[in-house]
Amino acid sequence: CAPTDDPPASSLRLSLAWYTAQPLAANLVASLRLHDAFGRLLAQCDLQPGYGFQPSITWPAAAWTDDRLALPLPAQLPDAAPYTLAVQLYDGLGETRLVHRLGELDWTATTLQVSPITAQVTLPPDLLPTAAQFGNVAALRGYRLTYPEPESVAVTFYWEALGTSRASVVRFVQLLDTAGQIVTRGDGSTVQVDSLPQANSYPTSQWAASEIVADTLLLSLAGVPPGAYELAVGFYPPGDANARLPVTLPGGATPPDRILRLPLSVER
């Protein structure tokens, strides 16, 4: 990361404004992050606000603090626009204090244009149908599977926010075998993704009632043998993966393991 008066040739220059209702007791680190349409991290810059000259313990209460930062970009961005730009604030223990999406970037000819993100309230056509309610947070209204790369699958969930909630929950996705176990690759890693929706950029606590949230993630299928599998999806409170939100299926059935299972066929 470089000061904005001497940023890399390929970078995003940002003007931010921070606000706190009361003085902060600890310095926070700002993390700028750019993800592609499949949720993959393309660029990240972690630093104190103002490049260390505006530590958060000096921010005045009930007032705005202006800041200017630059996010260096890779020499070549993948063809997976639109890209999502987000910012996080976290403390010295790594605990996230703030997550906020700043906008979307898309190509106009050979130029990247930034546009604000607006809430969607309608579903796109041609979704794989499904229905399930997760606690009082979200309902799954459909999903879509694509295969953008060899040995990978991109799944997009279309959530409907059931109301405004101050609580934020983690969304998890797992690949299950016919025995109901999480698939393990040859290197010992599991086929599983746990994060806030939209690649850790859009907490459920920021969703508006009745908003439709498209949540895309990329699962690597490298080392997974061909066959029939299931995608398991659910939610849990941060830090407590065992306290999953209850799942209610059409007709009122409630899976005891509190996950929704979706079919997935792996081919070569």
Side-chain angles (χ1 to χ4, degrees), residues 15 24 26 60-61 75-76 85 109 115 119 124 135 139 143 166 179 195 199 258 265:
S15 296
L24 298 174
Q76 185 174 359
L85 179 64
S115 60
Y143 69 105
R166 297 181 61 88
S195 70
R258 298 190 170 192
S265 177

Side-chain angles (χ1 to χ4, degrees), residues 111-208:
T111 304
L112 271 178
Q113 298 291 333
V114 181
S115 60
I117 298 175
T118 57
Q120 303 297 314
V121 294
T122 58
L123 287 169
D126 303 325
L127 297 181
L128 295 171
T130 189
Q133 181 172 323
F134 297 80
N136 60 358
V137 174
L140 185 61
R141 298 307 186 198
Y143 69 105
R144 179 175 289 151
L145 298 174
T146 60
Y147 299 85
E149 298 175 353
E151 297 190 303
S152 67
V153 59
V155 54
T156 302
F157 300 104
Y158 290 86
W159 307 106
E160 180 184 357
L162 298 180
T164 54
S165 172
R166 297 181 61 88
S168 180
V169 289
V170 176
R171 183 262 301 121
F172 69 89
V173 179
Q174 304 165 342
L175 185 66
L176 304 183
D177 60 21
T178 54
Q181 300 299 308
I182 303 176
V183 175
T184 301
R185 303 184 183 91
D187 61 3
S189 63
T190 56
V191 186
Q192 177 173 347
V193 175
D194 294 48
S195 70
L196 300 180
Q198 293 193 352
N200 274 322
S201 70
Y202 199 21
T204 55
S205 58
Q206 297 177 14
W207 295 5

Side-chain angles (χ1 to χ4, degrees), residues 67-112:
D67 194 4
R68 294 172 182 263
L69 299 173
L71 173 64
L73 298 178
Q76 185 174 359
L77 289 169
D79 185 18
Y83 315 111
T84 300
L85 179 64
V87 64
Q88 295 187 16
L89 284 177
Y90 62 88
D91 60 22
L93 299 177
E95 181 179 350
T96 301
R97 300 291 189 88
L98 171 72
V99 178
H100 191 71
R101 297 180 303 164
L102 300 177
E104 284 188 342
L105 289 77
D106 210 339
W107 294 101
T108 300
T110 59
T111 304
L112 271 178

